[in-house]
């Protein structure tokens, strides 16, 4: 038994499955169809579609909770330069780099600064969150990759959008 998902079916079967789920009033646990999916080139290790999308850090914290992500390790001044999501059963960890960083929660809710999203990539669960450790995205299960992409898109959409001057604005 498996779950019908757009990333696993031939294009001609997708509409049939969508109609079947509608006809039988099946409520999906997650978006099996119509989710955004990245196009991955051979050897590609990261996705930069949302790089430079600005988001207030308070809004980012809310999105992390909503989608099951968490701060990466604190770096200089306690700021996290990544957000991560663990997949223990797969021995993987998804990472989105942050430009400008996420201030520690101990700074309180008054510390609402802007951050910019960086690339999305996947590392082994025990590896440090660095693009140098990124896995080939073609080796990541297509449903997992599709769901990560959809979550990154949702996080980016909660912000103020792409800013071509993001590097100047967040440092």
């Amino acid at each position: 038994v498996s779950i019908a998902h757009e990333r696993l079916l031939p294009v001609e079967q997708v509409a049939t499955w969508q109609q079947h789920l509608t006809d039988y009033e099946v409520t999906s646990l997650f978006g099996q169809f119509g989710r955004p999916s990245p196009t991955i080139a051979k050897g590609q290790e990261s996705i930069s579609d949302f790089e430079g999308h600005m988001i207030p850090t308070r809004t980012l914290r809310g999105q992390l909770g909503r989608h099951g992500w968490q701060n990466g390790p604190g770096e200089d001044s306690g700021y996290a330069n990544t957000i991560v999501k663990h997949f223990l059963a797969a021995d993987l960890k998804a990472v989105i780099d942050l430009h400008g960083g996420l201030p520690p929660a101990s700074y309180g809710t008054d510390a609402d600064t802007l951050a910019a999203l960086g690339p999305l990539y996947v590392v082994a669960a025990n590896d440090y969150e660095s693009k140098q450790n990124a896995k080939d995205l073609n080796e990541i299960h297509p449903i997992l990759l599709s769901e990560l992409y959809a979550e990154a898109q949702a996080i980016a959409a909660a912000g103020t959008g792409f800013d071509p001057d993001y590097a100047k604005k967040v440092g």
Side-chain angles (χ1 to χ4, degrees):
V1 175
S2 66
I3 295 174
H5 193 281
E6 189 167 4
R7 295 285 293 176
L8 300 178
L9 295 170
V11 174
E12 59 274 2
Q13 289 184 14
V14 170
T16 303
W17 268 103
Q18 287 176 308
Q19 188 61 50
H20 176 76
L21 294 174
T22 300
D23 290 348
Y24 288 91
E25 299 177 2
V26 175
T27 303
S28 298
L29 296 174
F30 60 93
Q32 295 162 247
F33 298 98
R35 303 280 277 179
S37 293
T39 300
I40 304 300
K42 184 177 180 178
Q44 184 174 336
E45 295 179 340
S46 66
I47 298 168
S48 58
D49 293 8
F50 310 109
E51 182 145 8
H53 281 75
M54 304 289 287
I55 186 166
T57 55
R58 264 190 259 172
T59 303
L60 178 57
R61 283 187 195 287
Q63 290 297 308
L64 297 182
R66 174 175 287 140
H67 297 287
W69 289 72
Q70 55 191 213
N71 300 6
E75 303 286 337
D76 297 333
S77 303
Y79 277 64
N81 294 321
T82 60
I83 56 175
V84 298
K85 186 168 187 175
H86 298 270
F87 298 93
L88 299 178
D91 198 31
L92 297 172
K93 173 173 40 178
V95 182
I96 299 176
D97 284 344
L98 295 176
H99 303 284
L102 184 61
S106 62
Y107 281 27
T109 57
D110 293 336
D112 192 19
T113 59
L114 280 176
L117 298 180
L120 164 68
Y121 52 96
V122 178
V123 299
N126 293 324
D127 280 350
Y128 182 72
E129 294 91 20
S130 168
K131 275 183 61 178
Q132 292 176 320
N133 297 326
K135 295 191 161 293
D136 182 336
L137 294 176
N138 291 286
E139 297 174 8
I140 307 304
H141 194 284
I143 293 176
L144 176 59
L145 191 58
S146 176
E147 295 306 309
L148 288 172
Y149 188 82
E151 288 176 359
Q153 183 181 54
I155 292 168
T160 59
F162 175 75
D163 188 328
D165 293 326
Y166 73 91
K168 293 178 187 173
K169 293 182 178 177
V170 297

